[in-house]
Amino acid sequence: MSSSAPAHPRRRPRRVRRLAAALLASTTLLAATACSSAVDELKSSSSERQEGGTLRVGALNDIVPARIFTNSSDSINLLIGSVYDSLIDYPLDKLEPKPSLATSWELSQDGTQLTLQLRDDVKFHSGRPFTSKDVEFSIKTWADPVWTVQLQRTAAAITGFDTSDEHAITLTFAHPLSNVFDLLDMLPIIDKDTIDQLREGKAFVGTGPFEFKSWSPGAKLSFTRNDDYWRGKPSLDGIDVSVIPDPQAQVAQLRAHQLDLILGASYRDFESLGKDDQFHVNQWDGAEGQVYVGTNVTNPALSDVRVRQAIAYALDRKRVVSEVLRGAGVPISLPWPSYSPAYDEKANATYDYDLDKAKALVDEAKADGVAIPKLPLTYPSENPIYGAIAQIVQADLAKVGIEVELDPQEQAQVIQQLIGAKFPALWILSHGYAHYTPSTLAVSAYPFNADHNASLYVDDAYKAAAEKVWKQKAGEVDPADYAALDEQLLKGSFLLEIAITLPQDASSTQVHDIGETKRGEPLFYDTYLTK
């Protein structure tokens, strides 16, 4: 497998999915992309472009330096997308690697070696040239468990680094890695000289279009333009990110023109903003997430698979999609979007809403002596969708004899419990990675990692299925092995999917050409303002 790029590509990176594309996609996926209209595009195109200016962004969550590589908050995603580059880029709608810091690559016949040619005109924000040693350092950093990154196992499976050429590197794997290009897309290239300052939140040095300027914990992040960016100078002078945990306050500040872009609002608010001529609402299909109910299988009530399956049958997914996501989602039993090689339409309908089956399973378990006390249901309090979904789940489970006590907590605490597998019973969160190579989810994601997951679900058959789809050559995984993985996920029912969610943001009509990575990171390299 190989690819090449022009000597000086001015790419339009990880491309934008603006409104028109979102509306087109909605004809097959959704009913509710009424959040915006093509009228917005026509309206915005008539404005006069201005060079420079500072983009003012509202984010729900602050950064946590120790988790900077975990994709666990909107401000972290914004920082990574602005400051860092990766070796390759996936477009939003495909898993086809495109050149970035790597200009071409070749995978060996047996899938255990990958040689990448690297750009020779790239510098870190410090002025130091980017070389193959930086690729080695970045991969080894991700392989270090201290950073708790979700592709740690894949990074750790890269066992050899030939850096004899400053502008090329050959990676050797412990075994074929079906998701190696997922790693190269997600892995930011990190500056080894400032890693200690990164740990302390004092410096974030990459090769990206914007340079980190300052961080006031709990309040604000600032970035300035990288005039020497290898793709060319961005239009914006800088980006100011205000941490505003109250979604309603974000909406109010956008409407008052105190912010240009908001990342956190309810889908109902996005729907309302989309009907206002002063705002764009962007929808990023191709950067899907999944909202789910997690279960701690060591909790005595949840250790019986019949109780977990009863919860799966009791979830009114269509109501969640309709009422909370305002149509910007798809009900699911398995995590995969329809274009995933692991997608199976019939299997995906396994746990369609069925209260009779749910109640029968609960009654059967209780008859066998399984006690089901009131169970805590933990969720992040800042993001408005989780509280609304939690109330629906609470009502659904009450119908089948499972009492739930709502347990809202701050996002940082919830993520800490997710990484440490510390939830006492049930939780609601979102996960990503199902839109990547399926093995990335099965061996890497906190909720699914077959070696150690947030549910503490340990099962030899599940682990074998996950390992089998992981240890095959990239692009050549046997479809039957994906079917076996699906079977294990449904059989174990340790993570109960509710819906695919399509991320949205809202901006004033003076903001143009916002982008998004497949990881869900906002991109402002192409962004400009109009007067």
Side-chain angles (χ1 to χ4, degrees), residues 208-282:
F210 292 92
E211 300 181 16
F212 170 78
K213 179 181 177 183
S214 64
W215 174 43
S216 300
K220 190 173 182 179
L221 284 155
S222 292
F223 305 88
T224 58
R225 179 173 60 202
N226 175 8
D227 287 342
D228 298 323
Y229 188 45
W230 58 275
R231 289 189 175 106
K233 188 170 67 175
S235 175
L236 294 171
D237 290 328
I239 308 162
D240 284 346
V241 182
S242 298
V243 179
I244 305 171
D246 181 352
Q248 290 298 315
Q250 285 197 31
V251 173
Q253 291 191 37
L254 180 68
R255 288 190 179 280
H257 302 286
Q258 295 167 345
L259 293 172
D260 303 307
L261 169 71
I262 59 173
L263 303 178
S266 70
Y267 282 86
R268 191 177 293 277
D269 283 329
F270 284 133
E271 186 179 49
S272 174
L273 288 166
K275 295 175 181 175
D276 189 322
D277 288 347
Q278 298 181 79
F279 306 105
H280 285 303
V281 174
N282 305 305

Side-chain angles (χ1 to χ4, degrees), residues 112 139-140 154-161 170-175 177:
T112 61
I139 292 173
K140 287 183 174 177
T154 299
I158 297 177
T159 54
F161 301 85
T170 296
L171 308 173
T172 301
F173 314 148
H175 49 75
L177 292 170

Side-chain angles (χ1 to χ4, degrees), residues 424-446:
L426 301 171
W427 71 94
I428 293 176
L429 258 179
S430 293
H431 69 78
Y433 299 148
H435 55 313
Y436 279 86
T437 304
S439 59
T440 285
L441 189 84
V443 303
S444 300
Y446 302 132

Side-chain angles (χ1 to χ4, degrees), residues 6 74 101 184 189 201 203 257 291 308 351 396 489 491 500 514:
D74 50 5
L101 295 182
L184 302 187
I189 295 303
H257 302 286
V291 64
R308 305 197 299 270
Y351 291 115
D396 288 342
L489 288 171
K491 181 180 177 184
I500 289 173
I514 302 167

Side-chain angles (χ1 to χ4, degrees), residues 78-322:
L78 189 152
L79 184 152
I80 294 294
S82 299
V83 173
Y84 296 93
D85 286 311
S86 50
L87 291 167
I88 60 101
D89 286 323
Y90 281 147
L92 277 173
D93 59 347
K94 295 185 177 88
L95 292 177
E96 292 180 5
K98 302 297 182 186
S100 180
L101 295 182
T103 58
S104 64
W105 44 88
E106 183 167 1
L107 186 62
S108 65
Q109 190 65 33
D110 66 357
T112 61
Q113 279 199 329
L114 179 67
T115 298
L116 300 119
Q117 303 299 319
L118 308 175
R119 295 191 67 92
D120 60 3
D121 58 351
V122 177
K123 292 183 178 179
F124 285 93
H125 300 153
S126 62
R128 184 176 66 78
F130 156 71
T131 72
S132 55
K133 287 288 187 185
D134 296 303
V135 177
E136 179 180 3
F137 175 80
S138 299
I139 292 173
K140 287 183 174 177
T141 298
W142 268 41
D144 185 344
V146 73
W147 289 101
T148 62
V149 298
Q150 299 193 70
L151 267 78
Q152 187 268 335
R153 291 184 67 191
T154 299
I158 297 177
T159 54
F161 301 85
D162 180 353
T163 58
S164 54
D165 183 338
E166 284 190 344
H167 305 302
I169 186 168
T170 296
L171 308 173
T172 301
F173 314 148
H175 49 75
L177 292 170
S178 62
N179 65 338
V180 64
F181 289 103
D182 293 11
L183 173 69
L184 302 187
D185 172 79
M186 296 181 196
L187 174 82
I189 295 303
I190 308 161
D191 175 38
K192 60 182 172 51
D193 294 342
T194 54
I195 190 71
D196 290 341
Q197 295 178 64
L198 184 152
R199 287 191 179 95
E200 297 172 1
K202 295 179 178 177
F204 300 92
V205 177
T207 63
F210 292 92
E211 300 181 16
F212 170 78
K213 179 181 177 183
S214 64
W215 174 43
S216 300
K220 190 173 182 179
L221 284 155
S222 292
F223 305 88
T224 58
R225 179 173 60 202
N226 175 8
D227 287 342
D228 298 323
Y229 188 45
W230 58 275
R231 289 189 175 106
K233 188 170 67 175
S235 175
L236 294 171
D237 290 328
I239 308 162
D240 284 346
V241 182
S242 298
V243 179
I244 305 171
D246 181 352
Q248 290 298 315
Q250 285 197 31
V251 173
Q253 291 191 37
L254 180 68
R255 288 190 179 280
H257 302 286
Q258 295 167 345
L259 293 172
D260 303 307
L261 169 71
I262 59 173
L263 303 178
S266 70
Y267 282 86
R268 191 177 293 277
D269 283 329
F270 284 133
E271 186 179 49
S272 174
L273 288 166
K275 295 175 181 175
D276 189 322
D277 288 347
Q278 298 181 79
F279 306 105
H280 285 303
V281 174
N282 305 305
Q283 180 167 283
W284 305 101
D285 42 321
E288 295 92 339
Q290 287 76 14
V291 64
Y292 68 93
V293 176
T295 68
N296 178 346
V297 303
T298 67
N299 180 298
L302 299 169
S303 62
D304 192 305
V305 71
R306 292 172 296 185
V307 177
R308 305 197 299 270
Q309 290 171 339
I311 295 172
Y313 280 121
L315 298 175
D316 191 346
R317 297 170 176 84
K318 290 183 180 178
R319 182 184 174 195
V320 170
V321 170
S322 173

